[in-house]
């Protein structure tokens, strides 16, 4: 089925959609890490002995 | 007021289907590729989809394979895309470059058709030197279609000087699980001459394909890197 | 090639703030009476050991005398908490097959601080066949080997062979690093280079690999606001020959500082009034910041002087050796 492709409202909207798909803004990063090492909220430095000690979760990051 | 007869099928779905068709052809599978079969002229969204995918809609014609060359129907629908969606006066760099890429590819791969193709627009390259590497990488990933052999030679040469930064962008994109960005960058790195060995580009492309292959555009980039530059497994 | 000229003012302000906070927090580093029996070593011995390790380095190597003085005071405090090393005799007698007492003892031994009974004990325990059985991962083994070297013991394994098995030596794909792996790499560098005292132990291959990929790792973990890991990555950066100075990264880390000079491990500084909790949330990253800013300051001075970096061994416990004449 043929549409009237020159309808101004459709064309403008479509053109905007096209531009948006050509250059979408960067999505937020999804950062995942292994849950190994005690499932600590803070898996961190093996500075001397081990990572910064896991603390009881008081809040979720 | 005219109705949108294709309102039930979003543009993104049309693009996804087209990307799937291109990737299939690049893998040497399926029927011989014909753009006009993948994106029919009668489809109101075909030109829009072509504008978004850019030169990639013609990528299968860049393969050295015997078979039907691009036909008049293909030229018609590409021409429609170019005339319907030219970059505006305030168009972004990406918009201008992707348009330019489609024009270049048309000149090269649709040359048999006697069409008056628009001239390639002037496209700025200052950003290649100026952009910090995260921004550069994001931008370059959106220009992955221009990584086709022979396209945008000037841009490719300039990007060569920032190969390490693009590799860093690849690392960053993978970490962010931005598979489309990673795939686009990986595709450019497949073309550039000195992608760092320690990057592990081949493994990286395979990894991205498996992690992000639900998106046909990701698959397209990875398959193109393999097909045209032999990179990735 | 010369290294990146740094921002000594910024770096010094970070050392100043960190050392000031550490000074104020001395009490939290004190060891409880049950430190060798029931206490959790991760909450007691570990922080003290880290304090000792890094203040020893700052106390010897920082270009500014006032920072060296403060750091030396903290190091002396740490040694005092070990009761002139008697702690180690107790620890080793209590846990003769554990590595951490030896690792801790090495921090002080490298500075010439020893305890006769501890010496005798480690001499015996580290000769056992059982000692050669790895109790932790390869990164940790590098640390144990470094401790053996510091104490003057024969190393129980070939550090080159162990290095090859680590996340650094294996030269993994840079995009394959998660948080855990990234911390492994930083510690591989620290153990290999003796916390930046022997930067030339980084081979050209490893240095090149790190130079390429550190910017992407830094960018990522700064975005995640993992200041602790970002600080360690900055310390590693400062260990490179002709070390670059990532100005933006340093500014971002500087921006994470709390008003009291501490740096939180992740995100914003805790607003909890509980000082013990605040200490645990900050001490590690604050120490790391002081350490990284010290190494970066040294690297920056080298770049300023135009000297080739990384060809001078700066052994623990001694001041900088005579440098070779700059080319």
């Amino acid at each position: 089925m043929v549409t009237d492709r020159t309808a101004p409202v459709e064309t403008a909207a479509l053109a905007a959609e096209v531009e948006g798909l050509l250059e979408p803004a960067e999505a937020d990063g999804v950062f995942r890490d292994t849950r190994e090492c005690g499932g600590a909220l803070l898996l961190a430095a093996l500075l001397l002995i081990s990572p910064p000690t896991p603390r009881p979760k008081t809040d979720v990051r | 007021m005219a109705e949108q007869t294709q309102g039930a099928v979003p543009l993104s779905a049309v693009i996804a289907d087209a990307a799937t068709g291109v990737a299939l052809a690049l893998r040497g599978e399926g029927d011989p590729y014909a753009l006009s079969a993948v994106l029919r002229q009668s489809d109101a969204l075909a030109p829009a989809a072509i504008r978004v995918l850019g030169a990639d809609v013609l990528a299968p014609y860049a393969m050295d394979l015997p078979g039907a060359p691009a036909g008049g129907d293909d030229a018609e629908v590409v021409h429609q895309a170019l005339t319907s969606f030219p970059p505006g006066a305030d168009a972004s760099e990406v918009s201008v470059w992707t348009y330019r890429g489609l024009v270049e590819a048309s000149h090269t791969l649709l040359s048999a058709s006697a069409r008056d193709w628009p001239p390639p627009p002037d496209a700025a390259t200052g950003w290649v030197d100026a952009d910090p590497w995260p921004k550069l990488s994001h931008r370059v990933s959106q220009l992955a279609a221009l990584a086709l052999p022979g396209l945008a030679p000037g841009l490719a040469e300039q990007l060569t000087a920032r190969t390490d930064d693009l590799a860093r962008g690849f690392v960053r994109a993978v970490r962010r699980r931005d598979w489309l960005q990673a795939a686009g960058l990986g595709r450019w790195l497949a073309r550039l001459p000195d992608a760092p060995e320690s990057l592990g580009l081949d493994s990286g492309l395979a990894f991205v394909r498996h992690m992000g292959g639900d998106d046909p555009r990701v698959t397209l980039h990875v398959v193109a890197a393999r097909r045209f530059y032999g990179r990735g497994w | 090639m010369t290294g990146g000229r740094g921002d000594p003012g910024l770096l010094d302000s970070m050392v100043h703030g960190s050392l000031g906070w550490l000074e104020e927090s001395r009490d939290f580093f004190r060891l409880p009476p049950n430190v060798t029996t029931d206490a959790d070593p991760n909450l007691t011995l570990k922080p003290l050991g880290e304090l000792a390790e890094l203040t020893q380095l700052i106390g010897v190597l920082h270009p500014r005398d006032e920072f060296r003085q403060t750091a030396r005071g903290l190091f002396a405090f740490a040694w005092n908490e070990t009761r002139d090393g008697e702690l180690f005799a107790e620890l080793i007698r209590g846990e003769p097959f554990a590595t951490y007492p030896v690792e801790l003892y090495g921090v002080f031994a490298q500075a010439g601080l020893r305890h006769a009974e501890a010496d005798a004990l480690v001499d015996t325990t580290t000769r056992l066949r059982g000692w050669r059985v790895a109790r932790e991962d390869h990164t940790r083994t590098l640390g144990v080997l470094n401790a053996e070297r510091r104490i003057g013991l024969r190393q129980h394994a070939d550090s080159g062979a162990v290095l090859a098995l680590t996340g650094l030596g294996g030269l993994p794909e840079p995009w394959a690093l998660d948080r855990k792996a990234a911390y492994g790499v930083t510690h591989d560098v620290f153990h290999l280079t003796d916390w930046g005292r022997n930067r030339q132990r980084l081979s050209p291959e490893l240095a090149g690999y790190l130079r390429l990929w550190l910017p992407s790792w830094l960018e990522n973990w700064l975005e995640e606001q993992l200041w602790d890991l970002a600080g360690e990555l900055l310390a590693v950066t400062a260990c490179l020959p002709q070390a670059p100075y990532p100005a933006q990264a340093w500014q971002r880390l500087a921006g994470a500082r709390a008003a009291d000079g501490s740096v939180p491990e992740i995100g914003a500084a805790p607003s909890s009034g509980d000082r013990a909790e605040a200490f645990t949330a900050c001490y590690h990253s604050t120490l790391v910041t002081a350490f990284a800013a010290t190494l970066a300051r040294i690297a920056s001075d080298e770049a300023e002087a135009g000297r080739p970096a990384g060809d001078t061994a700066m052994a623990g416990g001694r001041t900088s050796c005579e440098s070779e004449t700059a080319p």
Side-chain angles (χ1 to χ4, degrees):
Chain A
M1 194 178 312
V2 177
T3 55
D4 178 4
R5 288 192 286 246
T6 60
V9 171
E10 285 173 21
T11 307
L14 189 56
E17 194 182 355
V18 163
E19 290 296 322
L21 286 169
L22 281 170
E23 197 178 16
E26 192 177 46
D28 288 343
V30 175
F31 304 107
R32 297 284 303 272
D33 293 287
T34 179
R35 293 166 298 168
E36 291 173 293
C37 280
L41 194 61
L42 296 170
L43 172 75
L46 299 145
L47 189 56
L48 190 63
I49 300 175
S50 60
T53 304
R55 301 199 294 283
K57 294 187 188 189
T58 52
D59 62 88
V60 177
R61 191 173 100 77
Chain B
M1 190 87 74
E3 288 180 337
Q4 280 194 317
T5 58
Q6 296 297 332
V9 183
L11 176 57
S12 54
V14 176
I15 291 168
D17 283 350
T20 301
V22 171
L24 202 66
L26 293 181
R27 289 201 302 270
E29 296 171 19
D31 295 330
Y33 181 76
L35 170 59
S36 50
V38 171
L39 284 168
R40 283 165 285 285
Q41 282 190 67
S42 57
D43 186 336
L45 294 178
I50 288 168
R51 177 68 177 96
V52 174
L53 284 174
D56 271 343
V57 301
L58 301 177
Y61 297 129
M63 299 192 294
D64 285 328
L65 281 183
D73 288 348
D74 299 340
E76 179 59 43
V77 71
V78 171
H79 192 266
Q80 185 69 48
L82 289 171
T83 52
S84 299
F85 302 103
D90 59 348
S92 66
E93 318 280 18
V94 168
S95 180
V96 175
W97 272 104
T98 52
Y99 188 89
R100 190 183 158 99
L102 183 56
V103 170
E104 275 187 40
S106 302
H107 277 269
T108 307
L109 300 168
L110 298 173
S111 53
S113 71
R115 289 228 57 126
D116 276 336
W117 297 110
D122 286 333
T125 56
W127 54 272
V128 177
D129 288 334
D131 278 358
W133 65 263
K135 185 171 176 200
L136 173 78
S137 298
H138 185 236
R139 212 173 238 178
V140 168
S141 75
Q142 293 168 334
L143 302 178
L146 276 72
L148 284 170
L151 284 198
L155 179 64
E157 190 173 327
Q158 283 209 261
L159 288 176
T160 300
R162 300 208 62 184
T163 302
D164 285 355
D165 278 343
L166 294 174
R168 290 167 177 145
F170 181 87
V171 173
R172 176 176 178 273
V174 170
R175 174 65 188 165
R176 297 169 74 85
R177 298 188 167 231
D178 187 341
W179 308 118
L180 184 58
Q181 181 177 171
L185 279 166
R187 190 174 165 188
W188 261 110
L189 288 164
R191 173 175 176 180
L192 297 175
D194 294 312
E197 277 297 309
S198 58
L199 177 65
L201 180 61
D202 298 307
S203 305
L205 285 164
F207 180 78
V208 167
R209 181 172 179 179
H210 286 109
M211 298 291 280
D214 281 353
D215 180 345
R217 298 189 67 183
V218 171
T219 303
L220 192 167
H221 289 325
V222 176
V223 168
R226 180 95 178 113
R227 185 61 184 79
F228 293 113
Y229 301 106
R231 301 306 303 264
W233 308 125
Chain C
M1 180 169 50
T2 53
R5 287 196 52 191
D7 183 343
L10 177 69
L11 295 172
D12 286 353
S13 83
M14 299 190 77
V15 172
H16 178 77
S18 296
L19 287 179
W21 185 86
L22 291 165
E23 268 291 338
E24 294 287 304
S25 307
R26 273 196 189 201
D27 283 347
F28 291 103
F29 284 103
R30 291 191 189 282
L31 299 177
N34 64 346
V35 67
T36 61
T37 53
D38 301 324
D40 182 349
N42 283 320
L43 298 173
T44 53
L45 292 163
K46 180 173 184 284
L48 186 76
E50 291 159 346
L51 178 74
E53 175 74 68
L54 299 176
T55 55
Q56 197 278 336
L57 181 146
I58 297 170
V60 170
L61 295 178
H62 200 287
R64 286 183 60 167
D65 185 60
E66 70 210 81
F67 295 156
R68 293 198 301 273
Q69 295 304 326
T70 306
R72 285 174 182 174
L74 285 165
F75 182 66
F77 158 78
W79 178 242
N80 205 51
E81 284 299 301
T82 76
R83 294 172 273 122
D84 287 358
E86 191 185 333
L87 170 76
F88 297 109
E90 282 175 31
L91 265 181
I92 294 163
R93 190 171 289 110
E95 296 167 66
F97 315 120
T99 60
Y100 80 89
V102 175
E103 292 169 270
L104 273 167
Y105 184 54
V107 176
F108 297 98
Q110 71 166 338
L113 299 172
R114 312 189 76 110
H115 186 273
E117 201 183 336
D119 278 333
L121 279 164
V122 296
D123 200 55
T124 301
T125 58
T126 61
R127 286 173 190 264
L128 300 172
R129 288 197 312 273
W131 184 257
R132 286 182 240 141
V133 177
R135 292 169 73 93
E136 307 282 350
D137 59 22
H138 303 295
T139 297
R140 194 63 187 275
T141 301
L142 281 186
V144 176
L145 292 172
N146 197 39
E148 292 168 349
R149 182 192 59 79
R150 288 168 161 186
I151 297 169
L153 304 164
R154 205 179 75 161
Q155 292 184 312
H156 76 269
D158 175 63
S159 56
V162 174
L163 176 65
L165 297 169
T166 63
L168 174 64
L171 297 172
E173 296 85 353
W175 44 266
L177 262 67
D178 59 8
R179 196 189 294 199
K180 179 182 176 185
Y183 268 114
V185 169
T186 60
H187 282 265
D188 293 334
V189 174
F190 297 153
H191 295 318
L192 174 66
T193 66
D194 199 14
W195 301 86
R197 295 174 181 83
N198 287 303
R199 294 154 58 190
Q200 76 284 359
R201 295 200 69 214
L202 262 181
S203 68
E205 186 189 22
L206 294 180
Y209 170 86
L210 292 168
R211 190 185 303 271
L212 248 185
W213 306 121
L214 277 164
S216 40
W217 300 331
L218 258 174
E219 170 66 32
N220 179 76
W221 275 292
L222 281 167
E223 181 172 351
E224 288 193 66
Q225 300 192 354
L226 258 70
W227 313 119
D228 188 74
L229 180 52
E232 294 203 2
L233 291 167
L234 284 168
V236 171
T237 303
C239 287
L240 297 176
Q242 286 87 48
Y245 177 76
Q248 235 200 37
W250 273 109
Q251 270 153 19
R252 287 160 86 173
L253 183 61
R257 282 176 301 180
D260 64 3
S262 65
V263 176
E265 272 175 13
I266 291 186
S271 53
S272 155
D274 186 313
R275 291 200 61 213
E277 230 181 70
F279 172 79
T280 309
C282 292
Y283 89 86
H284 194 277
S285 33
T286 303
L287 260 174
V288 164
T289 297
F291 167 56
T294 298
L295 291 184
R297 176 66 146 92
I298 293 167
S300 164
D301 282 0
E302 285 169 353
E304 186 69 25
R307 272 201 328 261
D311 59 0
T312 301
M314 295 181 281
R318 308 200 295 272
T319 50
S320 304
C321 303
E322 313 280 2
S323 62
E324 299 174 65
T325 311

